[in-house]
Amino acid sequence: MPSDVSKKRDHRQYLRSGVAGGFAACVAKTVVAPLDRVKILFQASNPDFQKYAGTWTGAYRAGKEIYGQTGIRGLFQGHSITLLRIFPYGGVKYMTYDSIHDTLMPTRESETNLRRFLAGSASGLISVSFTYPLDLIRVRMAFKTRRSSPELQASRTVSLANAVREIYREGAHSKPPSVPTVGQSRIFSRFPLLSFYRGFSVTMLGIIPYAGTNFLAWGYLRATFLPPKSEQKKPTPIADLVIGAISGASGQTVSYPLEVIRRRMQVGGLTQPDRWIGFGETVRRIWATSGWRGFYVGLSIGYLKIVPMTATSFAVWQWAKRLLDV
């Protein structure tokens, strides 16, 4: 009987950690939503905003133009679907991390950087697998601009339903790459829902270094500067913010080229709706157009976004866990 009670208590603790993580992710995404919109436009090479990319003032000027065209709604375009995606994403990620962390590292002595990295990577992979279609829809909504989108010219906002229908139609009418793998053409023609997974493979590759480095830095810095047995150095919101910011910057630096490739693949249906643009072709196009710098376009605004977002996410997660007695 005692063991059953203990398991139930542990189960509730993980669920509470997931709720805290989902709430933290929503708060963090809301804080940086305007920067996220601009970064997507830069990464995906939106023709209306490429003139602003590559400069420190570009993000401000792009945001100013968006605000002038569509008001505050334009800066938060696609944010509603972001919140629908980010709560389960954050909840699954943090809940899974706690669970895997306790499994791989049941004691303080068993904590290693490799295990921290593996726990973070696994939690990122699982959470992305659950929520990827919502991320693709959000990117598509954020990518559209007034000059490039007829429906946006006639409306103040991009419709979620229109975005879903557009992606589905692309899958139904798209053609595979010129040199498909065995059975690829048949899969694309039979399953148009696969269009909701444009860029999924590169996302899975990118989340491994991003989430792994994120949680590795988080665990290492907390263990180093906030040791659990220290009475003088206890976790505080400020400490959580600083450590979260460093963790976010580390993960962003390691994984950014893969994020650029993913964004280009996600909007590929808008630039060439008649065919499926694969990983290799996307990489070649970026290199031919901009060289190695093309894989880091928008990195400065990426830091402006990811550092406060990750700092807020980790800090609110820890605050909510304390509030929920996790």
Side-chain angles (χ1 to χ4, degrees):
M1 181 69 69
S3 61
D4 292 340
V5 173
S6 177
K7 286 181 181 180
K8 289 181 180 179
R9 183 174 61 247
D10 289 343
H11 181 67
R12 290 196 298 268
Q13 292 282 309
Y14 292 132
L15 287 177
R16 290 176 186 174
S17 178
V19 171
F23 174 71
C26 287
V27 173
K29 272 292 188 180
T30 301
V31 168
V32 299
L35 284 171
D36 199 25
R37 172 90 201 280
V38 174
K39 191 184 81 164
I40 289 174
L41 292 171
F42 284 1
Q43 285 181 328
S45 294
N46 184 288
D48 296 334
F49 288 88
Q50 274 304 287
K51 58 181 178 289
Y52 299 127
T55 65
W56 285 99
T57 60
Y60 169 76
R61 292 159 61 199
K64 184 177 180 181
E65 180 173 330
I66 293 170
Y67 181 81
Q69 290 179 358
T70 53
I72 192 68
R73 289 179 179 232
L75 294 173
F76 286 85
Q77 186 171 298
H79 188 57
S80 58
I81 193 66
T82 295
L83 295 180
L84 288 176
R85 177 191 75 93
I86 205 64
F87 184 86
Y89 172 82
V92 171
K93 181 179 73 172
Y94 285 118
M95 179 177 65
T96 305
Y97 175 76
D98 273 348
S99 177
I100 296 175
H101 180 280
D102 293 347
T103 301
L104 293 179
M105 297 167 278
T107 63
R108 296 288 180 183
E109 291 73 20
S110 63
E111 290 193 14
T112 65
N113 287 334
L114 176 60
R115 290 174 179 173
R116 290 176 181 131
F117 183 87
L118 291 175
S121 297
S123 65
L125 287 171
I126 293 171
S127 57
V128 164
S129 298
F130 274 100
T131 60
Y132 187 81
L134 291 172
D135 183 45
L136 175 62
I137 297 169
R138 189 265 302 200
V139 170
R140 289 300 191 85
M141 293 177 69
F143 179 78
K144 289 182 177 292
T145 57
R146 184 168 294 278
R147 288 192 292 270
S148 64
S149 176
E151 72 268 21
L152 187 55
Q153 294 174 9
S155 173
R156 294 293 293 177
T157 59
V158 175
S159 166
L160 170 61
N162 285 341
V164 172
R165 283 195 296 268
E166 183 178 67
I167 296 171
Y168 183 84
R169 285 197 301 267
E170 290 167 11
H173 298 96
S174 67
K175 300 175 183 177
S178 56
V179 185
T181 57
V182 177
Q184 191 178 53
S185 178
R186 185 179 304 172
I187 291 175
F188 286 147
S189 61
R190 286 190 176 183
F191 301 102
L193 287 177
L194 282 178
S195 58
F196 288 91
Y197 283 86
R198 284 181 182 269
F200 181 68
S201 58
V202 71
T203 298
M204 299 298 275
L205 289 175
I207 200 65
I208 292 174
Y210 175 74
T213 303
N214 233 343
F215 280 105
L216 185 159
W218 169 258
Y220 173 78
L221 291 173
R222 282 176 65 86
T224 302
F225 297 103
L226 301 172
K229 295 181 180 180
S230 174
E231 293 296 328
Q232 291 79 23
K233 298 179 180 179
K234 292 185 177 181
T236 63
I238 297 299
D240 290 336
L241 281 170
V242 173
I243 293 175
I246 297 173
S247 302
S250 302
Q252 180 79 341
T253 302
V254 169
S255 63
Y256 195 78
L258 287 168
E259 184 178 347
V260 172
I261 297 169
R262 171 170 63 107
R263 295 302 188 205
R264 292 288 186 91
M265 292 179 69
Q266 286 179 328
V267 301
L270 293 175
T271 57
Q272 284 194 285
D274 61 328
R275 58 190 298 270
W276 188 285
I277 301 175
F279 177 83
E281 183 177 355
T282 303
V283 171
R284 289 191 296 271
R285 286 187 175 192
I286 296 173
W287 180 265
T289 303
S290 309
W292 68 268
R293 296 178 183 274
F295 295 97
Y296 291 92
V297 62
L299 179 58
S300 58
I301 190 175
Y303 284 134
L304 290 176
K305 171 208 163 185
I306 207 69
V307 170
M309 186 187 77
T310 311
T312 302
S313 182
F314 274 121
V316 174
W317 178 46
Q318 292 299 305
W319 170 81
K321 284 175 70 174
R322 288 190 284 267
L323 186 67
L324 296 174
D325 193 28
V326 179

